[in-house]
Amino acid sequence: MWGLDTIIPWTPSPPGIQIELIAINALRDENELVALIGSANSGPQGRYGLVGIPSKTTIVDKDGSNLDEALPIDQRLKVIALGYELGRNWVHLDPKPGPAGQPPGFVFEFENAIIVDHWKQLYTLVGKPNATSDKLTDSLLPPHHPLSPPCTQPIRLIPTVSDAEHSRRIELTQDHIAAGDIYQANIARRLEVSGELCGIGAITALSRINPVAHGAYIKWGEFELASNTMETLFSYEPHNRRIASFPIKGTCERVGNESPESPRAKELLATPKERAEHVMIVDLVRNDLGRICEPGSVQVPRLMGLEGYKGVWHGVSTVEGKLRPEMELSDGIRSLFPGGSITGAPKRRSMELIQEIEKEPRGFYTGSIGLITPQGYANVSILIRTLIKDDNGWGVSVGGGIVWDSNSEREITETWEKVSVFQSALRPEKNESKTDRRKNGKIGLSQTRDSTGSNTANELMSKAASKLSRSAAGSTIS
């Protein structure tokens, strides 16, 4: 896989079991842990998942000066995590620190990792046999650690900025639009989590009720992040140098599993305000890509398509181009980060006003997390719908794009629509019988049989463990 040695060969994922969730629950006591949690139903961006214990962690400097040094295309898997404030450097604004307890950014390297292919429903363990690969293997072998609940008592999301103050900020943004400073800005507020929250339990619950392309979990000492984001900042394919961004703009409530033909969904696509807001950001992303792509290669093959998630409909476009020969992956990051959908247009002035209006730093909220393979393939998210634990405890931020004709009451309602997935997921687990737990996929792999009844997951993993012991003796499994 990606030119890396194989320790456990490709193995079928048992029906109803998500390998990333089994692994992180077993590895929950590790001081550092990283997981990218994909989904088969989220297009190419959600195809691959990863679980790993970093072999090296680089803290990105607040001015981003060491990013190139930490991102050479070599023979190791990498995961980058970038805080929003890093982007100030790349639009020529003065550096600003993030929230207390949140580093500016990370570059994680992995000698070993569990890789999941959600399209083929297979998983593998790559790297060289060592103590870390043993831990990763053990995380997949029965008996399994029970899946952690997100909380044992009800929790609440409490805004740190009142509705009245948030409304005032929206109106202040509109004053700047009327004055010609900007066309649009994304204004956010933070919600504190009141109550005891388990980060691994939270990402487990979120992934189960709202599968997305870019689920993610990071643990770094006392810092934790659990993201249920569906937005892709960009993907990059080195074989053809295609770089594509997938901006989200335009939101309305989605009730249950209603279809794209529902009146709500159709109204979202037809509302002039929502379309104007969306097209502004598509134009901004076209401009960002135009700085690094070959002339004439930037195209918009999909304009404001409709995508449905837990509680919301979103408008999503595809903007793509061909990276110029002299440009590298890091140039793509600098040009596109932070995403236009969570800053505004024009980007630089919007980011200045966001700092003035919101006052508090954002940190990893509206930053990015992404996978970089040894060949230079990249798949990078925008961190919306993301729980973060720092020195201030657990919190989740939420915002929306403000334009000249935005209605502050509607914008505040939209913030609650966007966090409805957390209100659904972050609940104490009800007592269940063992039969119910098996039906709901909460029993470990050893207690799940495939549809043919020919191999239990226990047998599959035992075979993998046998091959692992042979590999440790000196042979490489291909």
Side-chain angles (χ1 to χ4, degrees), residues 236 238 240-243 287-298 321-329 331-332 335:
Y236 175 61
N240 59 11
R241 300 188 66 78
R242 176 184 181 268
I243 185 167
N287 182 65
D288 286 348
L289 285 176
R291 294 199 300 269
I292 57 173
C293 288
E294 294 183 358
S297 70
V298 177
K322 185 175 182 180
L323 199 64
R324 297 205 308 266
E326 71 274 20
M327 294 294 175
E328 299 179 352
L329 178 60
D331 295 303
S335 185

Side-chain angles (χ1 to χ4, degrees), residues 188-433:
R189 62 174 173 171
R190 184 175 182 270
L191 311 178
E192 290 182 344
V193 175
S194 174
E196 293 294 324
L197 182 68
C198 169
I200 285 180
I203 191 60
T204 299
L206 287 164
S207 299
R208 291 170 64 82
I209 71 168
N210 192 40
V212 293
H214 297 289
Y217 175 76
I218 292 177
K219 180 182 180 184
W220 182 73
E222 295 300 311
F223 171 82
E224 288 183 83
L225 179 152
S227 180
N228 190 236
T229 182
M230 65 291 292
E231 187 163 9
T232 305
L233 176 65
F234 75 92
S235 63
Y236 175 61
E237 301 169 11
H239 69 281
N240 59 11
R241 300 188 66 78
R242 176 184 181 268
I243 185 167
S245 186
F246 304 85
I248 289 177
K249 188 58 64 178
T251 302
C252 73
E253 182 184 18
R254 184 189 188 196
V255 177
N257 293 318
E258 66 183 2
S259 79
E261 298 302 314
S262 69
R264 256 183 297 264
K266 289 183 176 181
E267 183 181 5
L268 173 65
L269 297 182
T271 302
K273 179 260 183 188
E274 298 290 351
R275 290 195 68 85
E277 183 180 328
H278 188 98
V279 170
M280 286 181 200
I281 299 307
V282 169
D283 281 344
L284 184 151
V285 174
R286 287 175 62 211
N287 182 65
D288 286 348
L289 285 176
R291 294 199 300 269
I292 57 173
C293 288
E294 294 183 358
S297 70
V298 177
Q299 301 177 352
V300 184
R302 182 193 191 201
L303 180 62
M304 202 170 180
L306 185 71
E307 293 185 6
Y309 299 93
K310 180 75 173 179
V312 292
W313 290 106
H314 281 313
V316 186
S317 287
T318 302
V319 188
E320 64 183 24
K322 185 175 182 180
L323 199 64
R324 297 205 308 266
E326 71 274 20
M327 294 294 175
E328 299 179 352
L329 178 60
S330 58
D331 295 303
I333 295 172
R334 288 187 178 88
S335 185
L336 289 161
F337 182 88
S341 63
I342 47 75
T343 52
K347 185 185 285 188
R348 185 182 189 276
R349 182 58 178 144
S350 295
M351 291 179 68
E352 284 184 311
L353 292 175
I354 286 169
Q355 175 70 26
E356 293 174 15
I357 293 169
E358 293 182 2
K359 302 186 187 305
E360 298 298 323
R362 289 182 171 186
F364 283 97
Y365 168 65
T366 63
S368 290
I369 291 179
L371 169 70
I372 300 175
T373 72
Q375 292 76 31
Y377 166 84
N379 188 27
V380 181
S381 75
I382 295 179
L383 288 171
I384 55 176
R385 314 292 196 276
T386 299
L387 289 156
I388 299 169
K389 180 187 176 188
D390 57 19
D391 289 357
N392 297 309
W394 282 101
V396 57
S397 295
V398 61
I402 308 303
V403 293
W404 179 79
D405 56 349
S406 291
N407 177 280
S408 60
E409 183 177 344
R410 168 61 198 146
E411 294 297 333
I412 289 169
T413 299
E414 184 179 304
T415 65
W416 290 108
E417 291 170 356
K418 289 176 176 177
V419 297
S420 64
V421 65
F422 297 103
Q423 295 170 320
S424 297
L426 305 184
R427 296 175 176 177
E429 190 176 73
K430 295 179 181 179
N431 291 328
E432 296 176 307
S433 70

Side-chain angles (χ1 to χ4, degrees), residues 16-17 22 144-147 208 429-430 432 436-444 447-448:
I17 297 294
I22 292 292
H144 299 284
H145 195 290
L147 300 188
R208 291 170 64 82
E429 190 176 73
K430 295 179 181 179
E432 296 176 307
D436 289 336
R437 287 175 62 81
R438 183 179 292 109
K439 288 179 180 178
N440 292 332
K442 296 177 181 177
I443 294 293
Q447 296 169 323
T448 304

Side-chain angles (χ1 to χ4, degrees), residues 54 92 147 153 305 325 417 467:
H92 310 292
L147 300 188
Q153 299 294 327
E417 291 170 356
K467 292 185 178 183

